[in-house]
Structures are given as C-alpha cells and as structure tokens.
C-alpha cells in the first residue's frame, strides 16, 4: 500500500472528502456483529475451560459448544457471502454510471460532430 505522501493530492483530497465515503452495508454490519459474538464465545469458552470449576454455564457449554460455534460460523459465512454480493452489486452500479458518463462525454467531444457509430447528430 502506498504511503500517503506517494498518493497524488487530488486523490488524497477525494479520499478525505466525507461526501465520498461509502456507508457500510447491512450485511457488512451483520458480519461485524457475528464476528464479535464469535470472538466473545471463544474467549468465554477458553476462560471457563481454564477456570477448572464445574459451573452450570460450564456444563452447558460442554454439551452445546459445538452447536453454538457451528451456528456462529455459519452466520459469519452467510454474512460474508451477502457482504461480498452487496459490494459487487454496488461496484457494478458505480462502473455502469462511470461508463455511461464516459460514453456521453465521448459522444459529445467528437471533433467532426459524429457519434461513435459514425452517424451524424
């Protein structure tokens, strides 16, 4: 990744402008929540296992930790796939807007007054 001094000033200005920031999509927010829950579960499981005490929570975790981790892992995978699909759709829409703007600019800047297909306007 280039150092900030290597980024041209116009690109740096574009990146720092708050209007150009893309808000996080719902699948990305859900992915963060699922990942945090998974981390908390693993830390709780590790802490309870190292404590050595036989508490009701520890007994419940012994019986159900496979299902809990499996559900959390599946939720992370589903949110990840949804986040990727959502991001790809947004990028595709942005690409189509840029392409349309480029084609419109190209069509109106032809020097001889013809369109790209050679027809006169």
């Amino acid at each position: 990744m280039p150092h900030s001094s290597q980024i041209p000033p116009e690109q740096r200005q574009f990146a720092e402008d708050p209007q150009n920031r893309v808000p996080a999509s719902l699948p990305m927010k859900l992915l963060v929540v699922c990942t945090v829950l998974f981390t908390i579960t693993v830390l709780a499981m590790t802490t309870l296992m190292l404590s050595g005490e036989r508490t009701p929570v520890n007994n419940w975790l012994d019986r159900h930790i496979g299902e809990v981790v499996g559900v959390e892992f599946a939720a992370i995978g589903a949110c990840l796939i949804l986040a990727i699909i959502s991001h790809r759709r947004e990028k595709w829409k942005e690409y189509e807007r840029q392409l349309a703007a480029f084609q419109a600019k190209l069509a109106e800047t032809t020097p001889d007054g013809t369109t790209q297909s050679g027809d006169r306007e």
Side-chain angles (χ1 to χ4, degrees):
M1 186 156 191
H3 189 269
S4 63
S5 64
Q6 298 172 335
I7 299 173
E10 61 275 358
Q11 287 182 0
R12 194 173 322 122
Q13 181 181 5
F14 179 82
E16 293 171 354
D17 187 2
Q19 292 179 344
N20 296 326
R21 294 201 176 129
V22 178
S25 64
L26 179 62
M28 186 61 74
K29 291 176 184 177
L30 289 174
L31 179 62
V32 170
V33 170
C34 290
T35 305
V36 168
L37 288 175
F38 180 77
T39 304
I40 290 170
T41 301
V42 170
L43 290 174
M45 179 181 65
T46 305
T47 304
L48 289 172
M49 289 172 68
L50 292 176
S51 71
E53 296 180 25
R54 298 310 301 172
T55 62
V57 174
N58 206 353
N59 292 334
W60 186 87
L61 274 176
D62 282 344
R63 287 191 306 270
H64 301 289
I65 196 63
E67 293 95 6
V68 171
V69 171
V71 167
E72 289 177 347
F73 191 73
I76 289 172
C79 288
L80 181 63
I81 290 170
L82 289 174
I84 290 170
I85 290 170
S86 172
H87 181 73
R88 292 280 183 166
R89 283 184 179 169
E90 287 301 316
K91 283 296 186 181
W92 187 254
K93 288 177 188 176
E94 179 183 337
Y95 168 74
E96 287 177 336
R97 283 192 299 268
Q98 289 176 351
L99 182 61
F102 176 73
Q103 288 174 339
K105 185 177 179 183
L106 189 63
E108 63 187 40
T109 58
T110 54
D112 60 353
T114 60
T115 61
Q116 206 53 11
S117 63
D119 299 332
R120 287 250 179 229
E121 293 182 307

